Amino acid sequence: MKHLLTLSYLGTAYSGFQVQPNTKTVQAALQFAATKIFDTPCGITGCSRTDSGVHANEYLAVVEEHGKASIPESAVARAMNTYLPKDISVFRCISVPDDFKIRHEVEGKEYLYLVWNHPCRNPFLSDRALYYPRKLDIEAMRKAIPYFVGKHDFRAFMASGSDIADTVRTITDLRIEAEADTVKIYVSADGFLYNMVRIIVGTLLEMSEGKISAERLEKAIETGERSLAGRTAPAEGLYLNRVFLNPHALNREENSRA
Amino acid sequence: MKHLLTLSYLGTAYSGFQVQPNTKTVQAALQFAATKIFDTPCGITGCSRTDSGVHANEYLAVVEEHGKASIPESAVARAMNTYLPKDISVFRCISVPDDFKIRHEVEGKEYLYLVWNHPCRNPFLSDRALYYPRKLDIEAMRKAIPYFVGKHDFRAFMASGSDIADTVRTITDLRIEAEADTVKIYVSADGFLYNMVRIIVGTLLEMSEGKISAERLEKAIETGERSLAGRTAPAEGLYLNRVFLNPHALNREENSRA
């Protein structure tokens, strides 16, 4: 049996989603809880890797289990939560076909980057937003939007050391919302390179600071030169915000039966 | 010299505001930071005690110092923050007359009680809201408002063991706002008895649960019988939200000079 879970987590205490030896990960916590409630070893597959300290408002993961216990679908979320720590919570569970492969069905994702833009720290947002004391120039940052949106080679916006061959991605939306002392940067794309959102945000900050011009940004995208893009913004402000599944992913079984 | 600080803090890690031996308190953290920046031992007086685990969106405290260093008023907040932990932040500092006594000048306070009202936990609100899985009956809770608002003897809404003689207080406002999965309860009064807001919130929850009727609430207020009121809601959802100072408090010195 395969189950698709929708969950949220505060990533502060975790070394990212994916299991690694000798460190806390979200995947390991889910594996532990699923194994408890289905009373059998369970495999967990996530929709995305997230880095150490990155949060998720919406994350999708698949549990594969061959347990004898049959737990009603509606009870899985709350049962999982009894075995999960307080910083991870499952909100929904639906059954999916046995051949459901989450990585094949994800068509895009939206990340949110949260900035606390005030001269004084916000004690409620430490480890949950970038604390940026200088007033951001939102208009200067918005000038970047038309350069980023669209299908481009984003090699310049990838952490050095990555060995991915195809660095072309399509950013479908980039939005900057400023309200009171909070700035929210939303980036949607069909896929993301390693550290791509954090480097985009770092570039936007340097545009606000007058260090990167629109011309330089254009050149960064054209040449793929990492040094032309901005710094890597810290993980603490980053949230996986939404996951866009193939709209047919969840009714394929019914279709094939019809 | 006396300085009036406006600060916020996340109370999770603290045994309340007031200094106590062998435990972390907000007052001790402020004393440490003030002593560092004014380079002399400093006294700190708070506007209110808050309990262990209670938060403050707005808290007022007075620093009294006799240091030789003269720090511009505008620099005090940021200087304090360099010596404060991430869960306490000073937002403003103004100088006040030497005879300024914060406890005399506070005319009222507003508390906020935050409830996460959803079947599944919110990982971003653990220790920051009460997690209440059953759907709250907001209309049933709002029936309590006319009984609470006004000048009453609130003895029934005070933790047992308190030895305060005068238990009459005036609640100037009680408001319940429900939006999506969050319920916010605001209570303003000229003063609060020990655990008063938490017992009011516990009573509202029991009205939602059908355990306490409007008649019983009326009788609790009339008789002062603690057992007629509701349970004490946990500290984690409680925020000191605003402090109402005497409007003349901050210009009394100028007045007396005039």
Side-chain angles (χ1 to χ4, degrees):
Chain A
M1 285 281 288
K2 278 188 177 176
H3 312 274
L4 179 65
L5 306 177
T6 307
L7 55 137
S8 298
Y9 55 84
L10 176 70
T12 312
Y14 297 92
S15 300
F17 182 80
Q18 196 162 41
V19 165
Q20 295 175 55
N22 306 321
T23 182
K24 267 176 80 171
T25 64
V26 177
Q27 192 179 24
L30 291 173
Q31 237 151 20
F32 172 82
T35 298
K36 281 282 183 190
I37 70 158
F38 293 109
D39 200 20
T40 178
C42 291
I44 302 280
T45 318
C47 66
S48 167
R49 296 183 184 199
T50 60
D51 277 355
S52 184
V54 171
H55 318 292
N57 288 326
E58 181 183 275
Y59 190 97
L60 299 181
V62 170
V63 185
E64 182 165 8
E65 50 94 7
H66 305 281
K68 288 171 204 147
S70 164
I71 299 170
E73 211 171 279
S74 62
V76 170
R78 294 192 70 178
M80 288 279 293
N81 289 342
T82 60
Y83 291 102
L84 285 170
K86 287 202 275 184
D87 46 13
I88 304 177
S89 183
V90 176
F91 278 81
R92 269 178 301 279
C93 170
I94 56 168
S95 295
V96 287
D98 279 341
D99 61 353
F100 183 89
K101 288 200 168 49
I102 181 86
R103 295 291 182 104
H104 294 183
E105 304 296 356
V106 173
E107 296 197 331
K109 286 176 282 188
E110 179 185 75
Y111 279 92
L112 159 64
Y113 198 94
L114 186 62
V115 182
W116 172 248
N117 188 25
H118 188 284
C120 301
R121 270 194 321 251
N122 183 328
F124 297 99
L125 292 179
S126 72
D127 297 323
R128 297 174 179 215
L130 169 67
Y131 161 44
Y132 191 91
R134 210 183 329 167
K135 186 78 185 153
L136 282 169
D137 182 344
I138 303 296
E139 287 319 306
M141 293 163 76
R142 285 189 177 137
K143 289 207 175 84
I145 295 175
Y147 296 95
F148 278 121
V149 173
K151 186 174 180 177
H152 301 288
D153 184 337
F154 285 103
R155 204 154 31 95
F157 300 86
M158 177 172 73
S160 57
S162 307
D163 58 355
I164 285 177
D166 180 10
T167 49
V168 173
R169 297 290 183 275
T170 301
I171 292 186
T172 49
D173 191 30
L174 173 56
R175 227 157 67 240
I176 305 171
E177 294 177 1
E179 199 191 318
D181 303 310
T182 296
V183 176
K184 292 177 178 175
I185 300 164
Y186 294 90
V187 190
S188 297
D190 60 350
F192 291 89
L193 304 169
Y194 188 54
N195 278 355
M196 182 167 146
V197 180
R198 291 166 57 187
I199 299 171
I200 289 174
V201 170
T203 303
L204 295 173
L205 297 176
E206 292 193 34
M207 290 184 75
S208 164
E209 292 157 5
K211 290 180 193 158
I212 293 184
S213 62
E215 292 70 36
R216 179 168 148 186
L217 171 60
E218 193 171 18
K219 205 172 159 205
I221 295 174
E222 265 173 34
T223 62
E225 199 58 68
R226 172 70 188 88
S227 63
L228 292 173
R231 60 184 181 264
T232 306
E236 63 210 37
L238 188 60
Y239 296 72
L240 179 56
N241 202 46
R242 288 170 70 193
V243 183
F244 306 114
L245 280 191
N246 177 331
H248 305 297
L250 299 178
N251 50 22
R252 201 157 285 162
E253 195 175 49
E254 285 95 63
N255 290 348
S256 65
R257 275 185 196 146
Chain B
M1 284 281 288
K2 277 188 177 178
H3 312 273
L4 179 65
L5 306 178
T6 307
L7 55 138
S8 299
Y9 56 85
L10 176 70
T12 311
Y14 297 91
S15 300
F17 182 81
Q18 198 163 39
V19 164
Q20 295 174 55
N22 307 321
T23 182
K24 267 176 79 171
T25 65
V26 177
Q27 191 178 25
L30 291 173
Q31 236 152 20
F32 172 82
T35 298
K36 280 283 183 188
I37 71 159
F38 293 109
D39 199 20
T40 178
C42 292
I44 302 281
T45 317
C47 64
S48 167
R49 295 183 185 200
T50 61
D51 276 356
S52 185
V54 171
H55 318 291
N57 288 326
E58 182 183 274
Y59 190 99
L60 299 180
V62 170
V63 185
E64 182 165 11
E65 48 94 10
H66 305 281
K68 287 170 204 145
S70 162
I71 299 170
E73 211 170 279
S74 61
V76 170
R78 296 194 68 179
M80 288 280 290
N81 289 341
T82 60
Y83 290 103
L84 284 170
K86 287 202 276 183
D87 46 13
I88 304 176
S89 183
V90 176
F91 279 80
R92 270 178 299 279
C93 171
I94 56 170
S95 294
V96 287
D98 280 339
D99 61 354
F100 183 89
K101 288 199 169 48
I102 180 84
R103 296 290 183 105
H104 294 183
E105 305 296 355
V106 173
E107 297 197 330
K109 286 176 283 190
E110 178 185 74
Y111 279 92
L112 159 64
Y113 197 94
L114 185 63
V115 182
W116 173 248
N117 187 26
H118 189 283
C120 301
R121 273 194 318 251
N122 183 328
F124 297 99
L125 292 179
S126 72
D127 298 323
R128 296 172 180 217
L130 169 66
Y131 161 44
Y132 191 91
R134 211 184 327 170
K135 187 76 188 155
L136 282 169
D137 182 345
I138 304 296
E139 286 320 305
M141 293 164 76
R142 285 191 177 135
K143 290 209 174 83
I145 295 175
Y147 296 96
F148 279 121
V149 173
K151 187 174 180 176
H152 301 288
D153 185 337
F154 285 103
R155 202 154 34 94
F157 300 85
M158 176 173 74
S160 58
S162 307
D163 58 355
I164 285 178
D166 179 10
T167 50
V168 173
R169 297 290 183 276
T170 301
I171 292 186
T172 49
D173 191 29
L174 173 56
R175 225 156 69 240
I176 305 172
E177 294 178 1
E179 200 192 317
D181 303 310
T182 296
V183 176
K184 293 178 179 176
I185 301 165
Y186 294 90
V187 190
S188 297
D190 60 350
F192 291 88
L193 304 170
Y194 189 52
N195 279 356
M196 182 166 147
V197 180
R198 291 167 56 186
I199 299 171
I200 289 174
V201 171
T203 303
L204 295 173
L205 297 177
E206 292 194 34
M207 292 185 75
S208 164
E209 293 158 6
K211 290 180 191 158
I212 294 183
S213 62
E215 294 69 35
R216 178 167 150 188
L217 171 60
E218 191 171 20
K219 206 171 158 206
I221 295 173
E222 265 174 37
T223 62
E225 198 58 66
R226 173 69 187 88
S227 63
L228 291 173
R231 60 183 180 267
T232 306
E236 62 211 36
L238 188 60
Y239 295 74
L240 178 56
N241 202 46
R242 287 170 71 192
V243 183
F244 305 114
L245 280 191
N246 177 333
H248 306 297
L250 300 178
N251 51 22
R252 201 157 285 160
E253 196 175 47
E254 285 94 64
N255 290 347
S256 67
R257 276 186 196 147

